[in-house]
Amino acid sequence: LQRLPVTHLGPLPHLYRFEIELPESAVFINSDLAHLAKMCPNLEVARLCGQARFAQQFGPPPLTLEGIIPLTSACPKLHTLNVVIHAVEGNDETFKVREHSSRSLMRLNVGHSWIKDPLATAILLSHIAPHLDTLRWFQQTNRSGVVEKHAEMWQRVQSYLPQLQKMRLIERSLMPKPVVIEPPKKVSK
């Protein structure tokens, strides 16, 4: 695995599809996705070496589930994301920012992603992508380097997610709309 920084990209405001699939897996970090979101605000599809595998001896992927938030919040048209992450519990501050939620992300493929707690991951994912329709991960167990434990936990995330998304959307529909108070009109007499 080699690090492939995308921080050298310049502004690409009209780019709508960004794909990197290399025969040798590349490693991305949270700041790479933050920079990509800044440079490519009109992304609709992002595929970043979604088949990368991280062996136990090398540890988990450095990119976290919270690391995709810059893409989901800065790219309002992003509907497909394919990336390998390390799904760890989210920070409390993340849940306080409604702008982190994507209205457009419909398909997420996490490939050989690592996961710690399926319930915490499902809760964070329901906040980041409340309209997510398809969650995929690599399930083939006869391939070397595959950790079956992670695939089982992603299966649990998928079973929790619809109920959490429904609850999240109901909660948001019950929130009062912001009231805009207009200043009083000035009249000279």
Side-chain angles (χ1 to χ4, degrees), residues 36-57:
L36 183 63
K38 255 191 263 181
M39 295 298 113
C40 309
N42 286 313
L43 275 182
E44 294 177 19
V45 176
R47 291 189 173 102
L48 303 168
C49 292
Q51 298 301 317
R53 279 181 278 167
F54 291 81
Q56 293 288 350
Q57 64 265 29

Side-chain angles (χ1 to χ4, degrees), residues 30 64-67 69 86-98 100 120-121 123-125 127-128 168:
N30 293 348
T64 64
L65 182 56
E66 279 187 316
I69 289 176
H86 185 203
V88 292
E89 202 170 303
N91 294 321
D92 290 343
E93 294 302 312
T94 300
F95 294 101
K96 295 178 183 178
V97 182
R98 190 170 176 183
H100 289 168
T121 299
I123 291 170
L124 181 57
L125 200 51
H127 177 69
I128 295 172
R168 183 85 58 197

Side-chain angles (χ1 to χ4, degrees), residues 4-6 9 17-24 26 28 36 46-51 82:
L4 180 63
V6 296
L9 282 177
R17 188 179 197 99
F18 188 82
E19 295 185 33
I20 297 177
E21 289 297 337
L22 300 170
E24 290 294 321
F28 298 98
L36 183 63
R47 291 189 173 102
L48 303 168
C49 292
Q51 298 301 317
N82 188 347

Side-chain angles (χ1 to χ4, degrees), residues 16-189:
Y16 68 92
R17 188 179 197 99
F18 188 82
E19 295 185 33
I20 297 177
E21 289 297 337
L22 300 170
E24 290 294 321
S25 297
V27 176
F28 298 98
I29 60 174
N30 293 348
S31 61
D32 290 330
L33 268 62
H35 183 76
L36 183 63
K38 255 191 263 181
M39 295 298 113
C40 309
N42 286 313
L43 275 182
E44 294 177 19
V45 176
R47 291 189 173 102
L48 303 168
C49 292
Q51 298 301 317
R53 279 181 278 167
F54 291 81
Q56 293 288 350
Q57 64 265 29
F58 298 118
L63 181 63
T64 64
L65 182 56
E66 279 187 316
I68 71 170
I69 289 176
L71 275 178
T72 61
S73 57
C75 302
K77 297 178 183 176
L78 183 71
H79 59 76
T80 302
L81 180 59
N82 188 347
V83 67
V84 177
I85 58 170
H86 185 203
V88 292
E89 202 170 303
N91 294 321
D92 290 343
E93 294 302 312
T94 300
F95 294 101
K96 295 178 183 178
V97 182
R98 190 170 176 183
E99 288 75 26
H100 289 168
S101 295
S102 172
R103 295 181 126 309
S104 61
L105 187 62
M106 300 295 286
R107 289 174 288 288
L108 177 63
N109 188 339
V110 294
H112 295 282
S113 291
W114 287 37
I115 183 171
K116 281 192 172 191
D117 179 5
L119 182 58
T121 299
I123 291 170
L124 181 57
L125 200 51
S126 74
H127 177 69
I128 295 172
H131 300 282
L132 190 68
D133 187 44
T134 305
L135 175 64
R136 298 182 134 205
W137 63 95
F138 198 78
Q139 297 174 326
Q140 189 176 1
T141 56
N142 61 0
R143 202 164 159 189
S144 66
V146 174
V147 179
E148 191 174 328
K149 172 184 79 164
H150 295 302
E152 289 171 4
M153 287 207 249
W154 281 109
Q155 177 66 45
R156 289 174 54 196
V157 168
Q158 187 176 37
S159 66
Y160 298 150
L161 197 56
Q163 292 84 9
L164 289 169
Q165 286 174 310
K166 183 177 179 181
M167 182 183 71
R168 183 85 58 197
L169 293 172
I170 289 171
E171 286 173 346
R172 290 181 182 176
S173 71
L174 297 175
M175 290 179 71
K177 304 285 185 227
V179 177
V180 178
I181 301 173
E182 294 183 29
K185 293 181 182 178
K186 295 183 179 181
V187 178
S188 58
K189 290 186 179 182

